[in-house]
């Protein structure tokens, strides 16, 4: 045991040095964040990240260390770095102050408020409990962000007093066509429809996707988009109608499937602990994603599914038909038919199937680590 203890002591010393290096790195990245804030530079620079990863992978190979391990560690460090740099962010559009977030006491409203204030914007909140201040707050605003439930967006916009002609009116709901039309009808000034493709629990905004819909691009709208870019967001410009059609598959159908599967699990005789105890890493990951939905707002997800029901109903019907067809083939022991269906779906994924397989391995490793640590 003496030799083993000596080796363990050496490992412990390496670990202590790693911790010290991590502390040193965090201190340096904090200085980088402060410099970027002063200079108005973006938090996230894709080319810099790519160069760093490539260089360290090459170094790892030369040193006989797994490049995948090194990349995994570096990406985790980068996430921490991006989070550390959120404490102070550059302000690139000071002309948008003062801002008002309508529905600013909701989770997404609070998320935007914190981020805008980190960049030095003056942000006021308008919610149900301070409606007496509505007219004064909105009349002075140079940017109004509407962050209310989907079913209330159009009525909230229609009920607004006249805004300053140069005020930028923005909505951040998950449906775009109707809110964009409502904003253009009510406000003669610049309007912008955004859909943040993330929830209020994100640690930072770097690499977060925001869909942008606008019929009349203008300088004041571009300035807010530049601010999002400085925060590290990935902006995707899209026609509002095309966005809503895409969301029927990307969002509504996905939430529907998760919602139904969660209900199904809740009706089974096995407890969650029993199911988890014998689950594989991939099933544990699936359970995590299902459980994630039920940890959030039932009103939000009900609104998302209901908002486009008439448009999504044909897709839901088709989904049920595919499920029923698969059930019938299973019942008839139609292995050839199942293989044909598998091949047809695989064709849709094309080369991405292999890419997804590779990418999912890292996620499965993390899911397995989390599962083991729970016991």
């Amino acid at each position: 045991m003496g030799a083993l203890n000596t080796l363990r002591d050496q490992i412990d010393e390496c670990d202590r040095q790693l911790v010290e290096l991590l502390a040193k790195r965090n201190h340096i990245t904090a200085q980088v964040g402060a410099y970027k804030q002063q200079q108005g530079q973006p938090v996230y620079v894709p080319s810099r990240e790519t160069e760093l990863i490539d260089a360290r992978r090459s170094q790892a190979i030369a040193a006989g260390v797994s490049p995948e391990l090194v990349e995994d560690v570096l990406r985790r460090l980068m996430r921490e770095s991006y989070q550390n740099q959120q404490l102070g962010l550059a302000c690139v559009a000071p002309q948008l102050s003062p801002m008002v977030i309508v529905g600013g006491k909701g989770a997404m409203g609070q998320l935007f408020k914190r981020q805008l204030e980190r960049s030095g914007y003056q942000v006021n909140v308008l919610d149900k409990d301070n409606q007496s201040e509505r007219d004064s707050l909105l009349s002075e605003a140079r940017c109004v962000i509407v962050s209310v439930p989907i079913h209330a967006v159009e009525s909230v916009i229609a009920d607004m007093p006249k805004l300053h002609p140069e005020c930028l009116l923005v909505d951040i709901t998950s449906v775009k066509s109707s809110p964009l039309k409502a904003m253009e009808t009510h406000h003669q000034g610049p309007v912008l429809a955004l859909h943040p493709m993330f929830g209020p629990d994100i640690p930072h905004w770097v690499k977060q996707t925001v869909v942008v819909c606008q019929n009349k691009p203008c300088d004041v709208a571009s300035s807010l988009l530049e601010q999002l870019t400085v925060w590290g967001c990935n902006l995707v410009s899209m026609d509002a109608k095309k966005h809503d059609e895409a969301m029927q598959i990307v969002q509504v159908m996905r939430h529907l499937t998760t919602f139904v599967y969660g209900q199904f699990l809740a009706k089974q005789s096995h407890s969650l602990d029993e199911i988890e105890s014998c689950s594989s890493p991939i099933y544990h990951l699936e359970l995590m994603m299902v459980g994630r939905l039920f940890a959030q707002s039932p009103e939000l997800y009900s609104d998302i599914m209901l908002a486009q029901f008439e448009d999504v109903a044909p897709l839901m019907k088709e989904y049920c038909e595919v499920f029923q067809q698969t059930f019938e083939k299973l019942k008839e022991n139609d292995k050839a038919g199942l293989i044909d269906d598998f091949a047809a779906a695989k064709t849709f994924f094309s080369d991405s199937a292999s890419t997804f397989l590779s990418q999912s391995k890292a996620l499965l490793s993390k899911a397995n680590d989390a599962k083991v640590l729970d016991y």
Side-chain angles (χ1 to χ4, degrees):
M1 287 298 290
L4 179 59
N5 288 335
T6 299
L7 292 172
R8 285 174 172 171
D9 288 342
Q10 293 175 19
I11 290 175
D12 290 345
E13 178 58 27
C14 288
D15 290 345
R16 281 192 289 270
Q17 292 179 29
L18 280 173
V19 172
E20 291 174 359
L21 283 172
L22 290 175
K24 181 178 179 180
R25 192 181 195 279
N26 281 346
H27 180 68
I28 295 171
T29 56
Q31 294 179 63
V32 170
Y35 180 84
K36 288 179 177 179
Q37 181 186 17
Q38 294 169 5
Q39 301 298 318
Q41 294 185 7
V43 173
Y44 171 53
V45 181
S47 59
R48 162 64 178 164
E49 182 174 301
T50 300
E51 290 171 4
L52 192 155
I53 292 291
D54 289 345
R56 297 293 81 79
R57 283 183 65 94
S58 297
Q59 182 183 355
I61 293 171
V65 178
S66 165
E68 286 74 26
L69 170 62
V70 170
E71 179 173 347
D72 192 34
V73 171
L74 280 174
R75 291 196 180 280
R76 179 63 185 88
L77 290 175
M78 288 174 180
R79 290 198 299 273
E80 187 75 16
S81 173
Y82 294 141
Q83 187 168 348
N84 290 342
Q85 292 181 37
Q86 298 298 302
L87 298 177
L89 298 164
C91 176
V92 297
Q95 70 274 21
L96 294 178
S97 286
M99 292 183 163
V100 173
I101 300 180
V102 181
K105 291 193 174 180
M108 284 301 290
Q110 285 293 299
L111 177 70
F112 268 78
K113 183 176 184 292
R114 287 193 300 271
Q115 191 73 355
L116 288 163
E117 288 179 337
R118 286 170 182 156
S119 284
Y121 292 95
Q122 178 188 339
V123 184
N124 297 310
V125 167
L126 178 61
D127 220 302
K128 294 178 181 179
D129 59 354
N130 66 331
Q131 285 296 305
S132 61
E133 304 174 53
R134 186 191 69 164
D135 290 0
S136 61
L137 288 176
L138 293 179
S139 65
E140 298 174 0
R142 290 300 177 268
C143 179
V144 174
I145 300 175
V146 180
S147 178
V148 299
I150 299 171
H151 63 81
V153 173
E154 292 178 61
S155 60
V156 166
I157 292 172
D159 191 47
M160 283 184 181
K162 189 174 182 179
L163 302 175
H164 189 282
E166 296 180 4
C167 177
L168 175 63
L169 180 58
V170 184
D171 95 285
I172 57 172
T173 54
S174 59
V175 177
K176 294 275 73 82
S177 294
S178 297
L180 183 56
K181 183 179 180 180
M183 289 191 295
E184 290 178 334
T185 298
H186 181 77
H187 182 46
Q188 299 306 305
V191 302
L192 182 63
L194 302 176
H195 182 190
M197 298 299 298
F198 49 85
D201 59 343
I202 57 170
H204 58 72
W205 293 55
V206 174
K207 301 181 185 179
Q208 300 291 346
T209 296
V210 179
V211 179
V212 180
C213 301
Q214 54 182 334
N215 294 329
K216 302 173 184 178
C218 63
D219 290 343
V220 66
S222 297
S223 67
L224 180 58
L225 297 180
E226 184 183 357
Q227 183 65 69
L228 291 172
T229 301
V230 164
W231 290 342
C233 294
N234 171 40
L235 303 184
V236 178
S237 296
M238 189 176 291
D239 173 77
K241 186 174 183 296
K242 288 289 185 181
H243 164 275
D244 290 351
E245 291 172 349
M247 285 306 104
Q248 291 170 11
I249 297 174
V250 174
Q251 192 174 62
V252 180
M253 291 299 296
R254 181 65 261 163
H255 292 331
L256 170 70
T257 302
T258 304
F259 180 56
V260 171
Y261 189 61
Q263 293 181 79
F264 167 78
L265 288 177
K267 295 178 181 179
Q268 303 311 301
S269 59
H270 298 287
S271 69
L272 181 58
D273 286 341
E274 291 173 332
I275 294 174
E276 278 195 291
S277 67
C278 58
S279 65
S280 64
I282 191 167
Y283 189 66
H284 182 72
L285 185 60
E286 290 176 350
L287 280 175
M288 288 165 59
M289 299 312 295
V290 174
R292 174 183 170 82
L293 183 144
F294 292 100
Q296 300 180 68
S297 166
E299 289 81 7
L300 171 63
Y301 286 98
S302 296
D303 284 343
I304 289 174
M305 290 186 289
L306 289 169
Q308 299 190 65
F309 174 73
E310 292 184 6
D311 295 325
V312 180
L315 286 177
M316 292 183 177
K317 182 179 179 182
E318 183 179 354
Y319 184 88
C320 292
E321 289 172 353
V322 172
F323 206 103
Q324 183 62 36
Q325 290 165 8
T326 302
F327 176 76
E328 293 298 329
K329 289 174 183 175
L330 289 168
K331 188 168 66 173
E332 295 170 10
N333 198 32
D334 184 5
K335 183 176 180 179
L338 293 170
I339 291 175
D340 288 342
D341 291 343
F342 188 97
K346 184 176 181 178
T347 300
F348 169 77
F349 285 97
S350 186
D351 294 339
S352 293
S354 297
T355 301
F356 291 159
L357 177 62
S358 176
Q359 292 174 338
S360 65
K361 288 180 179 179
L363 294 176
L364 292 177
S365 296
K366 290 180 175 61
N368 192 45
D369 290 343
K371 182 173 183 288
V372 170
L373 289 172
D374 284 341
Y375 294 98

